[in-house]
Amino acid sequence: MPTPPMTYLDKLYHRHTRPPPTPTNTHTHRTHHTHTHTSLTPPLHHPHNPLLPSFCSRRFMGNLLKVLACSDLEHGPIIFLDFEHAQPTEAETAVWNQVSAVLEEAHGILAELQSYNGAGQEIREAIQNPGDLQLQEKAWNAVCPLVAKLKRFYEFSLRLENALRSLLEALTSPPYAPMQHLEREQALAKQFAEILHFTLSFDELKMTNPAIQNDFSYYRRTISRNRLNNQQLEAENEVNNEMANRMSLFYAEATPMLKTLSNATTKFVSENKTLPIEDTTDCLSTMACVCRVMLETPEYRCRFTNTDTVLFCMRVMVGVIILYDHVHPVGAFAKTSKIDMKGCIKVLKEQPSNSVEGLLNALRYTTRHLNDDSTSKQIRALLQ
């Protein structure tokens, strides 16, 4: 098989990994980062820079992750991703089509969840008047279609899990390094970010809607009571006891979709014994770095023309941090982490509190290593 042509990132990767040349000039600059500030960084205003037109585009999703993340190796790689115009290559098409079908359904799921009002009034009246069969029937008829909707949400989480697995396989498979994958397969990288954006959006809506838990609890109590009375309701054909148990575990989580993705990522790493764990964690930390830099750098952020872009970027950043923390042996908060947690938290705290409180809570309550001894007091204090 012929060797594919080297991209800019391939050349960059080889420059980073090969041994540094032996100095021949006694006047060479002493800092070890000198080379990253000269030959490796493509000049932003260079007249022949092919990335400049799209980089300067002032459109909604135009350059969410098409950004010079960091020129210093200790802060992150140089990587460009086009989140507006990225189209799947022939090699990406099969996975892209599979994930695209799931993402198309995601919009409807969010719309349904956003309009979910619950059957609180009917349930209260039924509980207050246990002998009134008409009120019991009214509450039951109000709850059943809502539980069917909750079942669809749960089943969608399983499809989302499969979609994430397909993307992880594509973005970490040999022979390319994670950074090379993110450049070569930009359409799949875009889908990966869109899954995280949906996940955080879903969980924020779920956490602020207690009707979901109340409706499902009433449904289960009614099923149990009728089972004791040797009665089987027609709704049990829709959500039987086994399904109800699985749904109960799902909705008991503060952030159920994120928990699903975290478990899926952990399972992906454990089942792929031949794949170095760094291939997965480096992919996640790179995405976190790019999002953070886009948010904290005025020159990049001023190019946003839609305020939703900022929230999109924050959700993607938080999502990859949580996945990283679940997969990496020491997590995202340790000093050895490749994610600048102080910088990420600072970026979130600079936003209006009503737009980021759910994201901060996700970092507080769905990560695994925040309370480890290796987490600095400063980072814990930032999340207080």
Side-chain angles (χ1 to χ4, degrees):
M1 182 179 293
T3 304
M6 292 184 69
T7 66
Y8 168 77
L9 192 59
D10 292 328
K11 298 173 184 177
L12 176 65
Y13 179 76
H14 287 294
R15 288 188 187 183
H16 284 339
T17 54
R18 70 186 182 190
T22 304
T24 56
N25 190 334
T26 56
H27 298 290
T28 301
H29 199 288
R30 291 175 180 267
T31 177
H32 65 285
H33 292 307
T34 300
H35 66 286
T36 66
H37 293 294
T38 55
S39 60
L40 290 185
T41 305
L44 187 60
H45 301 292
H46 194 286
H48 303 297
N49 187 343
L51 294 173
L52 186 56
S54 58
F55 185 91
C56 294
S57 173
R58 299 180 58 83
R59 298 277 299 278
F60 165 46
M61 294 285 283
N63 298 290
L64 177 62
L65 297 179
K66 178 184 275 296
V67 55
L68 177 60
C70 299
S71 58
D72 291 340
L73 295 182
E74 64 183 16
H75 294 129
I78 301 170
I79 184 166
F80 297 92
L81 296 176
D82 187 346
F83 263 42
E84 182 179 31
H85 302 105
Q87 294 296 321
T89 62
E90 185 178 352
E92 296 172 87
T93 300
V95 175
W96 190 90
N97 286 336
Q98 174 196 342
V99 177
S100 181
V102 176
L103 286 172
E104 285 177 9
E105 189 178 353
H107 299 294
I109 294 289
L110 280 183
E112 283 191 80
L113 181 57
Q114 196 158 20
S115 62
Y116 189 103
N117 294 320
Q121 180 66 27
E122 293 88 346
I123 291 172
R124 280 192 298 274
E125 291 177 353
I127 292 174
Q128 291 167 2
N129 302 277
D132 191 326
L133 296 181
Q134 188 174 358
L135 289 177
Q136 306 306 311
E137 184 177 355
K138 182 181 178 182
W140 180 251
N141 290 337
V143 164
C144 283
L146 294 174
V147 170
K149 187 177 292 188
L150 294 178
K151 180 188 176 187
R152 288 199 301 276
F153 296 167
Y154 167 72
E155 291 175 334
F156 179 76
S157 76
L158 303 180
R159 291 194 289 279
L160 196 70
E161 179 180 351
N162 290 333
L164 178 74
R165 182 182 182 88
S166 297
L167 288 175
L168 287 173
E169 288 174 350
L171 294 172
T172 60
S173 60
Y176 301 118
M179 287 189 297
Q180 294 169 302
H181 275 298
L182 288 177
E183 188 202 28
R184 290 173 178 276
E185 290 136 17
Q186 295 188 19
L188 299 186
K190 174 183 176 181
Q191 289 183 322
F192 184 82
E194 288 174 343
I195 284 179
L196 291 169
H197 179 258
F198 162 81
T199 297
L200 272 294
S201 300
F202 181 97
D203 287 346
E204 285 175 19
L205 290 171
K206 184 266 179 185
M207 282 193 295
T208 56
N209 194 338
I212 291 174
Q213 288 284 73
N214 293 338
D215 293 347
F216 194 64
S217 296
Y218 179 82
Y219 176 86
R220 297 204 73 189
R221 287 197 306 270
T222 305
I223 290 288
S224 298
R225 184 171 64 248
N226 284 281
R227 192 177 292 114
L228 289 175
N229 297 330
N230 293 320
Q231 297 177 356
Q232 182 171 5
L233 299 173
E234 186 177 337
E236 287 191 74
N237 297 325
E238 177 75 21
V239 180
N240 58 29
N241 193 52
E242 181 185 353
M243 173 61 75
N245 287 336
R246 283 184 277 154
M247 288 172 60
S248 182
L249 291 173
F250 177 76
Y251 287 109
E253 295 288 341
T255 53
M257 285 291 179
L258 199 52
K259 179 68 173 177
T260 298
L261 296 194
S262 296
N263 290 343
T265 307
T266 303
K267 185 178 179 182
F268 171 78
V269 171
S270 64
E271 289 180 351
N272 289 271
K273 304 293 186 183
T274 59
L275 183 70
I277 189 172
E278 290 80 10
D279 284 13
T280 302
T281 56
D282 284 357
C283 176
L284 299 174
S285 61
T286 298
M287 294 281 280
C289 175
V290 173
C291 288
R292 172 183 58 78
V293 173
M294 179 67 89
L295 288 165
E296 70 184 5
T297 308
E299 289 81 1
Y300 303 142
R301 187 163 169 168
C302 73
R303 292 180 171 87
F304 295 158
T305 59
N306 191 317
T307 54
D308 290 344
T309 309
V310 175
L311 185 56
F312 181 98
C313 201
M314 290 190 294
R315 283 178 176 149
V316 174
M317 182 180 73
V318 170
V320 290
I321 287 172
I322 294 170
L323 294 185
Y324 182 99
D325 193 63
H326 277 254
V327 174
H328 198 281
V330 298
F333 300 96
K335 291 181 180 178
T336 55
S337 168
K338 292 187 178 180
I339 297 178
D340 177 8
M341 285 305 306
K342 291 179 184 176
C344 291
I345 297 170
K346 181 183 176 185
V347 165
L348 292 174
K349 292 220 159 188
E350 289 173 348
Q351 315 307 317
S353 59
N354 62 333
S355 65
V356 298
E357 191 59 30
L359 298 177
L360 290 170
N361 282 335
L363 291 177
R364 291 175 185 127
Y365 305 122
T366 64
T367 49
R368 295 179 58 188
H369 296 280
L370 175 60
N371 295 316
D372 288 1
D373 293 338
S374 57
T375 302
S376 70
K377 292 181 180 179
Q378 186 177 3
I379 289 180
R380 285 197 193 127
L382 284 172
L383 283 174
Q384 290 288 318

